[in-house]
Structure formats: C-alpha cells, structure tokens
C-alpha cells in the first residue's frame, strides 16, 4: 500500500470514532438531572429565577425538543463549526474556545520541543553511560523533579526569578518572556517521564543482533550508535506524539498559577459554571487532538517502517 | 560514591537554591522602579474576567460596571442623592415619579443623555422583566414617558417604598447608549459598552485584562487616575507575587465578599512600606446559611442549628482569623442597617449550652462514640465554603474542630463561588457560607431573597412559620406606612433569628490594598463598587 492511500484510510477510520465521542459527550451532559434552563439562568447569575423565565429559556434554546432532535441539530451545527453560544456570556463558543485553544497550543508546542529534545539528549546520554554516575544522577534527579508538584515548583520559580531577581514577569502572556517559566515547569515535569522511554528503548536496541553484526563488520562506534538511535526513536515517536495531547489536556494547573489564558482554565471555569456548550466543545477538541496525533504517529511510523502499512 | 552521587547532586542543587535565595534578600531597589512605572495608573487583580459588560444582565463584573455606568440617583450614607437626575418629584399617590435630568451628560460615544435615552433604557430592562424578578420595582413599572428633553416620568402600579433605592443599584436601572442596542433592546446583547460614567472601557482581552480610561468629558469632572486595568489573576499566591513584583498595585474585596489575599499577606505588604491597607465600615454580614428544608437531615432541626450557633467562637474568628478587621456579628443585620433596631435573643458563645441543646433534642453520645446519634441517625453535616476566599477555609476548619468537640461531625468542602450559588439554588447543601447583600440592599433585598428559589428559599421554607414569614415579606414590600414596616421587619427578623437559619459570624468590610501614595480612597454604600474617580496619587 502506498503512503497516500494509507493516510486516507487512517483518517476515514477516525471519523466513526469522532461520532461516538460526540454522542457520548452529548449524552453524558444531558444525563444531568438538572433542568438545563435553570443551569443556563444560574450561569447568567440571574438573581431570581421564576417558572415563567424557565419556560421562556427552554423555548428559546430548544430544550423543549426531543433529545434526538437536539443531538442532530447540535451535530449539524458542529459540522459547520458552529458550537453554539456560551450560556454565561452568550458569545459564540468558538470565539471563546478558539483563542484559548491557540494559547494552550502555543505553550504546549514550545514545551514539547524542549521535552522531546531534552528527553532524547538525556535518554541517549544515560543509555550510553548505563549504570555509571551520570546515568544514576540524571535518573535520581529526574525522579525528584518529576515528583515535585508543579504548582510548588512554579511558585518557587516565580518568587525567586520574578519577584526577587526581577528578571521575568510573574504571570500572564505578554511577551516571549512569559513563556520561560511555564515552559520550564512543564518541561521539568514531563522530561523525567519521557527520557526514560528513550533510555530503555536505546538499551533494548543495544542488545539486538544487528548491533553485534554491525560491530563485527567493523562499523565505527558512532555509526553503530546512530543506527541504535534511529531504531529506538521509532518507539519513541508514538509516545512523543501522544505526549502533545497529554500536555495539552493537563496544563490546567500551570495555567492557573501563571494566569495563562488557555483552554485548561476556560474548561475548569466552564465546568464550574456548567457552561455546557463550552464543555462539549472542549471535550470534542481534546478528542480530535488525541485522534489526530494518534493518526500522525501511525503515519510517521508507517513511513519509517513499510511493514506497518500492510495490515490495515 | 556510585550510589550516593545522585543524592549528592540533589543536595548540592538544593543548597545552591537556598544560598541564591538568601542572596536575593537585599533586592529592594529594583522593585521601586517597577512600581514607579505604573504610578499614574491602577492595575487591580480580579479572579474573574469582567465578562459581558451589558448593564442590563448579570454576568458582568460589578466593580467594572460601576465605573462605566451610572444610575438616576445615588445611595449614600445620608440617603438617596441626585446623580444623573438633578431632582425629582413624587406625586401624592406615591405612584408617579418625575425626574429632572442633568443637561450636561453625554454617553461615551457622544450620544446625548436625555429623557428619551432614559425611557429607552428602562423599557429595555422591562422588556426582559422576568430576568429582573429579584428587584421588585421591575414588577411595578407601568409606564415610562418622555415629558420634555430632560424630564422623564415613571409610573408604578402601586406605591413602592424602596423604588428610589432600587433605581440607585448598580444594575439593572443604569444607562447605556441607545446606539449600542441590538434589535431595539439589550436583552439579546449589546454592540458596545458606552455608559455615562467616569471611565470608558477601551480594551478587553477575555481572561487576560480589561483597560478603562478616564472619561475626559465626565460631567462630574475628569477623574485624576488616567487608566485602570483589571487583570485576571488567580487569588492567593499568584496575586501576592504580582503585587510584590509591582505588576499590579491594587486589590480589593470582590463582589462575592472574598479577598484575594489573606490578612497576613496584607500586613506583610503594608509593612513593606509600599502599600496601604484601607477598610470600609461594616458593609454586610458574613454568615453560615442552614438548609431548613432538608427534612431528613439534622440541619432541619432548630435545636441543631442553635447549637451550632452557640458553638462557634466568633470572637476568636474575628481576632485570630481577621486580626480584628472584621467585628463579631450577633444578628443577621447589624444595627446600622435600616429597620434593624430589633430586640433579639442574644446567643453567646458557649459550648456547654450547645451540648444541653443537643441532649434535650435527643442527640446523645453513646459511650466510646465520637458522633452523636438520634434514632440511629448520625449528627453529620457538610459545610461548603468559597475556595477563592482566603479566610473561609480557616473559619470552616475552626468550626469543624469546635463541633467535633460537641459530637457533631462536620465535613468541609471548598468550591468555586458559582458552584456555591448553584447549591444555594438547588438546595444541595446542609450549611454554606454566604453574606448579606450589603448596606444599600439590606434589609429589603436580602429579605426579599428569602422567598426566592435561587437565593434563600431552601433556607427558609423548612420553617414551621414559613407561610407566615412569606406573607409578612410580601406585605412589608408594598407597605406605605413606615411604622407598620418597622413592625413587619421586626417580626421577620425575629422569626429567622429564633429559628437560627442564618448564623451570623462577622460583619464584613471592603478591604483595599493600594500603593502608599494613593489618596482619596473611599467607599460606597455597597460592597460591589469603588469610587475610583475620587482617587489620586499624591
């Protein structure tokens, strides 16, 4: 199978999955025992909710229609990128979720570059020096750093680098300087996990036969190492691809500490306000991102290893 | 040192951090420069975005709306005073109000403020009257009429004594340029936020910041502070660090009564010499609200509620948690509230009395058990607090400890203010922290909220005298005679006091933390806004 048709098939396979996700999201949210109109009115902080107002709201928002019709209407609108309006502010969901998503994406991508770069670097170093002092110290240190709660590390860094030394802003998203602290904190929390994958995959490859043959046929150590690295990264690619949506979905703590106007904060606030259209959009976006990166990782792997393209 | 090397490295790193931190102690001079950059402007922290600034809906931030929009009249210490209306007449039947408007007022977009604009705005509010059911005036307006360019007439269906007070509130009876209306009104949203107030909204980045600029053409004279920025920052550590760094220079009690930093942090800032802490007079009452309508729960019993009341050491809360900045409250409304001079049963702190009350009500401790029971039911309750409040958690812990000593098991749960409001509306709570609405709204709005589902219906509906209570509340709102109002309010306050459904803790104030050189910090009659236009830098 050539790459083109593989990619097309892979994408087609993702579509039913997205359907199922959208249905589950919609059903779960509608399972709530609360009267949706009351939820909307509370979200709008209307001080006193009367029965007549509830009836008006139900009609205006179509909550009086049967469930299936509500779902189909919502789905059709979604396909046209119309996710409805926020219960709280009445603004289109997209105008709230879009910018927040981009902000979080920026933070995630910058952090991912550092996480992946550092993981490969440290993984390779540790694998090459397995069991030696460098390996042990890096692993020990990463163990400790991964265990440190990120909000604590963040607070310490803000206090020292921003307040005491006055080098960086404490929070917000004003310039490239604003990225430094959150990226450091995210990188520290995830590198410790991912460099281990690189390290162990390097180590298992080192014991493969091809390494022995390579050495036996007189390849230089550098060339052997490059071969090992290339093969090890195949495993790492899929893990790194999934790291991006994982980081994307878990920046909420960092966003809170650094007042980053991102998706995590928006989603938590929406959950507390029961701003369902935004929650639905959030779940969909995360689901799409996971499916997307999963597909990307499969495609990359398939490109690197033609055998994987066969059985689809 | 094979095995020890990792630990060695960590130790080294930790000690380096500690030493570096120590070195940083004498970094006072740099902060000065950061502060001076923002000398002519105020940047305040807010846990929430300013949100939709439509003044005829309820999601917007009240302090922000207070800067941009104005009402016809103003509620002051000395009663109702003119604002956009220079004067007014009330007809003898008490139903017709004629307002004579100021003639020198323009909206921020240059549109004239006149009787026509007033009529359009009030009509826009009335077109969405269901959403304003809490403000009883909205149910009583019959007609609005333009008499001439600057004379406006408002006709009510019956005399309503708090009419002017309700017209003075931050929302909904405030004025936005009719050019901003969509579909001829405001209920479907507005296209701009042009009020008549001392500040204009000039920029807004959702969840980041909002910038307000002085209105040079303000009828009351251009305000001295040129620029005010509201910056969205999570309460607590992040806000404190931003204050210390000089990225923000102002914080104040939010419209939910929560302070974004605790008293200790405030004192630390004041001690630094860069900041001052200013507190208003008692504005409202911080209280614990009990859900009397929860029939199968111990909180339904008056004796249990009364026991909790006398078991709470409010003196300690006032002194130790608030450092004396909030005073002990003995009743739902403090005595400076209108109609609140009522003789009520005094309930002093006394754990022994609490025990007696519980024993008498049949809640007994069997040997070896930590929690009282009655007919097999445990005396266990849940108290919800606002997780954005710097003090409520500490209070909750103190109360939890005190009740444990009496054999009451109290679970404490922190949630966002919206979630607490949801609980209050749906009745999914035993006890929760709340506050009265504040001087301008007390007692009438808070008491009127006793009957409202989304407010205190669940709190009051489980009382045996609920019917009587609601009848008196309906009566007092339309009563035209001050003496009978006095009597009715006294009855209402006595019922809820005797039943102990509103357990008062302290009298809340609005606290402002501001740069040392900021002058003219004062307060309004509500805890929801600040008169920024009166402030200036020395």
């Amino acid at each position: 199978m050539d790459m083109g048709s593989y990619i097309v098939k892979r994408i087609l396979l993702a579509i039913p999955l997205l359907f199922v996700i959208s249905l589950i999201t919609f059903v779960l949210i509608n399972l709530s025992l609360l009267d949706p109109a009351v939820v909307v009115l509370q979200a709008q902080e209307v001080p006193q909710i009367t029965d007549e107002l509830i009836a008006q709201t139900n009609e205006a928002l179509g909550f009086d229609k049967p469930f299936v019709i509500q779902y189909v209407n919502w789905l059709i609108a979604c396909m046209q990128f119309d996710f409805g309006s926020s219960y709280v502010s009445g603004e289109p969901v997209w105008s709230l979720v879009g910018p927040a998503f981009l902000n979080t994406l920026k933070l995630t991508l910058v952090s991912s570059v550092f996480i992946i770069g550092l993981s490969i670097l440290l993984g390779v170093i540790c694998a090459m020096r397995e069991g030696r002092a460098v390996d042990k110290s890096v692993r020990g240190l990463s163990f400790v750093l991964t265990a440190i709660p990120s909000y604590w590390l963040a607070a310490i860094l803000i206090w020292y680098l921003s307040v005491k030394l006055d080098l960086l802003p404490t929070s917000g998203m004003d310039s490239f300087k604003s990225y430094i602290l959150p990226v450091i904190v995210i990188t520290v929390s995830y590198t410790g996990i991912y460099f281990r994958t690189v390290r162990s995959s390097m180590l298992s490859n080192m014991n493969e036969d091809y390494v022995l043959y390579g050495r036996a046929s007189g390849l230089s150590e550098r060339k052997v190492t490059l071969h090992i690295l290339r093969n090890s990264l195949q495993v790492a690619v899929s893990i790194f691809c999934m790291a991006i949506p994982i980081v994307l979905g878990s920046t909420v703590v960092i966003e809170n500490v650094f007042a980053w106007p991102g998706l995590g904060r928006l989603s938590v606030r929406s959950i507390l306000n029961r701003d369902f259209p935004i929650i639905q959009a959030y779940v969909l976006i995360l689901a799409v991102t996971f499916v997307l990166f999963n597909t990307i990782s499969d495609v990359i792997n398939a490109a690197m290893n033609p055998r994987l393209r066969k059985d689809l | 040192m094979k095995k020890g090397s990792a630990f060695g490295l960590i130790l080294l790193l930790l000690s380096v951090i500690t030493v570096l931190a120590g070195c940083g102690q004498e970094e006072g001079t740099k902060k000065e420069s950061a502060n001076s950059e923002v000398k002519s402007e105020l940047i305040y922290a807010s846990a929430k975005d300013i949100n939709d600034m439509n003044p005829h809906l309820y999601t917007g931030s009240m302090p922000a709306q207070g800067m941009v929009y104005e009402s016809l009249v103003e509620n002051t210490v000395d009663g109702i005073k003119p604002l956009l209306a220079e004067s007014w007449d009330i007809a003898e039947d008490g139903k017709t109000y004629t307002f004579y408007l100021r003639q020198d007022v323009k909206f921020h977009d240059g549109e004239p403020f006149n009787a026509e604009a007033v009529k359009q705005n009030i009509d826009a509010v009335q077109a969405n009257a269901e959403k304003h059911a809490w403000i009883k005036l909205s149910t009583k307006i019959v007609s609005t009429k333009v008499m001439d360019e600057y004379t406006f007439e408002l006709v009510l269906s019956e005399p309503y004594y708090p009419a002017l007070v309700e017209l003075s509130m931050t929302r909904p009876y405030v004025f936005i340029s009719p050019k901003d209306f969509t579909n001829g009104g405001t209920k479907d949203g507005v296209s701009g936020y042009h009020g008549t107030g001392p500040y204009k909204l000039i920029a807004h980045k959702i969840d980041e910041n909002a910038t307000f600029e002085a209105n040079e053409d303000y009828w009351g004279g251009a305000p001295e502070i040129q620029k005010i920025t509201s910056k969205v920052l999570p309460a607590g550590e992040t806000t404190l660090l931003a204050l210390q760094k000089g990225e923000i220079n102002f914080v104040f009690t939010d419209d939910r009564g929560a302070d974004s930093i605790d008293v200790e942090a405030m004192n630390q800032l004041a001690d630094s010499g860069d900041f001052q802490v200013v507190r208003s007079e008692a504005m409202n009452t911080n209280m614990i609200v009990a859900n009397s309508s929860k029939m199968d729960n111990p909180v339904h019993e008056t004796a249990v509620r009364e026991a909790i009341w006398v078991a709470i050491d409010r003196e300690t809360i006032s002194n130790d948690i608030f450092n004396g900045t909030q005073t002990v409250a003995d009743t739902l409304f403090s005595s400076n509230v209108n109609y609140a001079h009522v003789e009520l049963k005094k309930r002093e702190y006394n754990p022994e009395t609490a025990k007696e009350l519980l024993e008498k009500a049949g809640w007994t401790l069997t040997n070896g058990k930590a929690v009282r029971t009655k007919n097999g039911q445990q005396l266990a309750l849940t108290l919800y607090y606002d997780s954005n409040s710097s003090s409520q958690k500490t209070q909750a812990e103190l109360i939890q400890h005190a009740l444990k000593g009496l054999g009451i098991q109290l679970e404490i749960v922190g949630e966002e203010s919206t979630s607490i409001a949801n609980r209050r509306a749906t009745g999914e709570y035993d006890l929760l922290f709340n506050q009265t609405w504040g001087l301008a709204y007390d007692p009438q709005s808070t008491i009127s909220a006793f009957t409202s589902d989304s407010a205190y219906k669940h709190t009051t509906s489980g009382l045996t005298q609920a019917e009587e209570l609601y009848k008196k509340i309906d009566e007092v709102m339309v009563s035209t005679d001050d003496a009978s109002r006095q009597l009715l309010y006294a009855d209402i306050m006595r019922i809820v006091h005797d039943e102990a459904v509103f357990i008062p803790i302290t009298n809340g104030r609005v606290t402002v933390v501001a740069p040392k050189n900021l002058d003219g910090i004062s307060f309004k009659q509500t805890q929801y806004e600040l008169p920024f236009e009166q402030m200036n830098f020395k």
Side-chain angles (χ1 to χ4, degrees):
Chain A
M1 201 190 296
D2 67 296
M3 267 320 275
S5 52
Y6 174 82
I7 294 176
V8 171
K9 275 205 167 170
R10 203 61 195 73
I11 290 173
L12 287 179
L13 272 178
I15 290 175
L17 188 61
L18 288 176
F19 258 106
V20 175
I21 293 168
S22 79
L23 184 66
I24 294 176
T25 320
F26 196 83
V27 170
L28 282 183
I29 279 181
N30 281 280
L31 272 184
S32 160
L33 292 174
L34 297 162
D35 185 338
V38 176
V39 171
V40 175
L41 293 167
Q42 276 170 14
Q44 295 174 345
E45 300 190 37
V46 174
Q48 186 170 338
I49 298 166
T50 60
D51 291 338
E52 198 177 319
L53 189 56
I54 293 174
Q56 274 176 17
T57 313
N58 268 324
E59 204 190 315
L61 296 177
F63 293 143
D64 48 354
K65 299 213 176 71
F67 177 77
V68 180
I69 295 184
Q70 284 189 48
Y71 174 66
V72 171
N73 286 345
W74 175 71
L75 200 63
I76 292 173
C78 275
M79 287 179 184
Q80 298 160 343
F81 291 98
D82 171 12
F83 294 92
S85 300
S86 156
Y87 286 174
V88 176
S89 66
E91 291 193 47
V93 168
W94 197 239
S95 75
L96 296 168
V97 174
F101 175 70
L102 282 183
N103 290 341
T104 300
L105 193 67
K106 283 185 215 158
L107 184 60
T108 306
L109 290 182
V110 175
S111 306
S112 299
V113 168
F114 282 94
I115 293 173
I116 294 173
L118 260 179
S119 295
I120 294 177
L121 186 70
L122 291 175
V124 170
I125 292 177
C126 286
M128 305 303 288
R129 298 275 178 280
E130 192 207 349
R132 309 240 193 105
V134 179
D135 181 28
K136 285 192 171 165
S137 353
V138 172
R139 278 193 292 150
L141 185 65
S142 79
F143 184 74
V144 173
L145 288 179
T146 311
I148 290 177
S150 49
Y151 58 86
W152 187 79
L153 181 64
I156 298 281
L157 288 176
I158 297 174
W159 170 74
Y160 187 66
L161 293 176
S162 302
V163 180
K164 285 284 163 201
L165 297 184
D166 201 13
L167 294 174
L168 300 167
T170 61
S171 59
M173 199 190 72
D174 304 319
S175 66
F176 78 95
K177 276 184 166 182
S178 309
Y179 281 85
I180 297 176
L181 288 179
V183 167
I184 290 179
V185 176
I186 297 177
T187 308
V188 163
S189 339
Y190 285 94
T191 305
I193 301 168
Y194 289 110
F195 97 92
R196 274 160 202 276
T197 322
V198 179
R199 178 181 174 274
S200 59
S201 142
M202 283 283 284
L203 285 178
S204 65
N205 265 296
M206 279 175 174
N207 297 323
E208 292 283 326
D209 289 342
Y210 72 86
V211 178
L212 191 66
Y213 296 140
R215 285 211 176 103
S217 52
L219 277 182
S220 71
E221 233 359 76
R222 241 193 76 196
K223 281 210 164 141
V224 172
T225 311
L226 280 178
H227 274 290
I228 298 174
L229 185 62
R230 184 166 178 243
N231 284 316
S232 317
L233 286 188
Q234 247 184 54
V235 184
V237 161
S238 42
I239 295 170
F240 284 138
C241 275
M242 291 321 283
I244 293 175
I246 289 174
V247 174
L248 191 74
S250 57
T251 49
V252 55
V253 174
I254 300 295
E255 287 182 6
N256 242 323
V257 178
F258 289 103
W260 195 270
L263 203 54
R265 265 170 80 207
L266 180 69
S267 64
V268 168
R269 202 186 55 219
S270 306
I271 289 167
L272 292 166
N273 286 336
R274 308 189 201 196
D275 199 341
F276 290 155
I278 294 189
I279 303 174
Q280 277 170 337
Y282 172 72
V283 174
L284 263 189
I285 284 182
L286 271 200
V288 170
T289 324
F290 266 91
V291 172
L292 183 74
F293 277 96
N294 198 359
T295 312
I296 291 178
S297 98
D298 284 356
V299 170
I300 296 180
N301 272 328
M304 296 201 319
N305 189 345
R307 276 172 300 172
L308 293 174
R309 285 178 229 163
K310 276 189 190 138
D311 43 51
L312 187 75
Chain B
M1 64 162 234
K2 272 214 152 179
K3 205 176 174 190
S5 61
F7 279 107
L9 196 73
I10 295 161
L11 276 180
L12 186 75
L13 198 86
L14 284 178
S15 47
V16 168
I17 291 177
T18 322
V19 171
L20 282 176
C23 293
Q25 290 297 330
E26 294 138 38
E27 291 279 339
T29 43
K30 273 190 181 163
K31 265 187 288 169
E32 290 284 317
S33 62
N35 267 345
S36 61
E37 280 168 29
V38 292
K39 213 155 202 171
S40 58
E41 65 173 295
L42 290 179
I43 306 177
Y44 72 81
S46 163
K48 282 188 182 166
D49 189 67
I50 60 165
N51 252 318
D52 180 9
M53 287 283 285
N54 184 340
H56 299 161
L57 293 175
Y58 293 94
T59 52
S61 143
M62 292 177 86
Q65 288 177 328
M67 281 189 258
V68 174
Y69 305 109
E70 289 175 305
S71 42
L72 287 177
V73 292
E74 185 183 22
N75 197 339
T76 70
V77 190
D78 310 316
I80 297 292
K81 293 279 174 211
L83 199 64
L84 290 177
E86 267 175 334
S87 61
W88 55 90
D89 295 326
I90 306 172
E92 262 179 34
D93 62 1
K95 293 198 265 190
T96 307
Y97 287 70
T98 312
F99 293 94
Y100 305 97
L101 309 177
R102 293 191 68 92
Q103 307 194 357
D104 53 353
V105 182
K106 275 193 162 46
F107 287 104
H108 297 158
D109 60 357
E111 287 293 298
F113 170 82
N114 52 26
E116 185 57 40
V118 172
K119 178 182 162 57
Q120 284 174 328
N121 270 274
I122 293 185
D123 288 348
V125 173
Q126 292 308 115
N128 202 13
E130 278 296 326
K131 279 217 170 115
H132 309 294
W134 72 278
I135 191 161
K136 294 292 173 248
L137 181 64
S138 69
T139 62
K140 307 200 189 295
I141 293 179
V142 187
S143 77
T144 54
K145 204 157 134 199
V146 176
M147 307 300 284
D148 65 45
E149 171 98 46
Y150 294 105
T151 312
F152 168 77
E153 187 188 86
L154 187 69
V155 182
L156 309 183
S157 56
E158 58 185 329
Y160 179 60
Y161 94 88
L164 286 174
V165 172
E166 295 192 349
L167 283 175
S168 76
M169 288 170 181
T170 324
R171 50 200 189 191
Y173 295 107
V174 293
F175 304 94
I176 179 169
S177 167
K179 271 211 166 157
D180 294 332
F181 285 18
T182 48
N183 306 333
T186 53
K187 65 176 178 166
D188 303 324
V190 288
S191 58
Y193 306 106
H194 300 99
T196 58
Y199 286 91
K200 310 178 191 182
L201 175 66
I202 54 162
H204 179 203
K205 268 171 118 178
I206 293 176
D207 274 346
E208 288 183 63
N209 52 54
T211 312
F212 301 87
E213 197 182 65
N215 175 6
E216 292 302 327
D217 305 320
Y218 185 54
W219 58 267
E224 292 204 30
I225 306 280
Q226 285 299 309
K227 203 166 144 197
I228 296 174
T229 303
S230 161
K231 201 166 174 182
V232 183
L233 287 179
E237 204 65 14
T238 307
T239 299
L240 176 62
L241 288 166
L243 274 168
Q244 288 176 327
K245 169 96 192 287
E247 289 175 341
I248 57 170
N249 59 6
F250 199 87
V251 290
F252 57 96
T253 314
D254 77 4
D255 48 18
R256 301 295 179 135
D259 282 307
S260 49
I261 53 175
D262 58 21
V263 175
E264 203 181 316
M266 288 178 194
N267 291 342
Q268 192 187 331
L269 289 167
D271 291 343
S272 75
D274 295 334
F275 289 95
Q276 56 180 326
V277 178
V278 185
R279 294 194 169 84
S280 73
E281 286 192 69
M283 280 275 184
N284 60 9
T285 307
N286 293 312
M287 58 189 174
I288 289 176
V289 173
N291 187 350
S292 73
S293 69
K294 228 175 177 180
M295 296 297 172
D296 52 352
N297 190 287
V299 77
H300 175 61
E301 282 181 39
T302 312
V304 171
R305 297 192 298 259
E306 219 179 337
I308 295 173
W309 186 321
V310 294
I312 297 175
D313 184 357
R314 300 182 304 252
E315 202 77 49
T316 302
I317 291 179
S318 161
N319 290 333
D320 294 354
I321 298 179
F322 292 108
N323 278 353
T325 57
Q326 297 209 355
T327 46
V328 168
D330 292 317
T331 50
L332 176 58
F333 299 108
S334 61
S335 55
N336 59 339
V337 169
N338 289 335
Y339 302 105
H341 301 277
V342 180
E343 234 2 87
L344 296 170
K345 180 160 91 181
K346 200 138 195 222
R347 291 198 184 96
E348 301 282 358
Y349 164 62
N350 189 342
E352 289 311 312
T353 319
K355 275 185 198 163
E356 279 165 31
L357 282 164
L358 292 173
E359 291 287 339
K360 236 205 256 167
W363 292 97
T364 50
L365 262 182
T366 35
N367 280 344
K369 289 269 164 56
V371 182
R372 287 176 191 270
T373 52
K374 177 167 146 183
N375 305 329
Q377 190 187 12
Q378 285 210 319
L379 188 42
L381 302 164
T382 308
L383 168 65
Y384 296 92
Y385 63 89
D386 181 347
S387 50
N388 269 326
S389 157
S390 58
S391 70
Q392 284 185 11
K393 186 178 182 200
T394 325
Q395 294 180 63
E397 284 165 349
L398 188 131
I399 294 167
Q400 182 183 44
H401 182 76
L403 295 188
K404 195 177 172 193
L406 299 175
I408 303 178
Q409 185 187 325
L410 187 74
E411 195 190 333
I412 55 174
V413 181
E415 291 182 352
E416 288 275 321
S417 58
T418 22
S419 176
I420 304 263
N422 278 333
R423 289 193 178 278
R424 197 179 69 173
T426 53
E428 290 165 63
Y429 68 95
D430 305 339
L431 301 164
L432 52 79
F433 277 101
N434 235 259
Q435 55 171 349
T436 60
W437 296 18
L439 285 182
Y441 300 80
D442 287 340
Q444 75 283 347
S445 297
T446 303
I447 282 183
S448 159
F450 289 0
T451 63
S452 158
D453 279 328
S454 51
Y456 302 118
K457 188 71 175 271
H458 292 282
T459 316
T460 52
S461 65
L463 304 180
T464 37
Q465 312 93 308
E467 288 300 314
E468 182 195 345
L469 178 70
Y470 296 157
K471 221 181 97 206
K472 283 186 194 290
I473 294 174
D474 284 344
E475 263 174 62
V476 76
M477 294 301 158
V478 296
S479 144
T480 49
D481 153 51
D482 202 57
S484 62
R485 259 200 312 263
Q486 187 78 57
L487 288 173
L488 284 164
Y489 272 131
D491 286 349
I492 292 165
M493 289 176 196
R494 199 166 292 122
I495 293 173
V496 294
H497 183 89
D498 289 348
E499 289 290 341
V501 277
F502 297 97
I503 302 170
I505 311 280
T506 54
N507 286 123
R509 296 152 186 256
V510 174
T511 308
V512 167
V513 179
K516 190 88 188 173
N517 57 347
L518 187 72
D519 252 358
I521 301 172
S522 60
F523 298 91
K524 296 197 177 185
Q525 285 289 290
T526 84
Q527 68 255 41
Y528 306 113
E529 306 119 68
L530 284 176
F532 285 105
E533 68 275 14
Q534 292 173 15
M535 299 178 193
N536 60 76
F537 283 100
K538 275 181 246 186

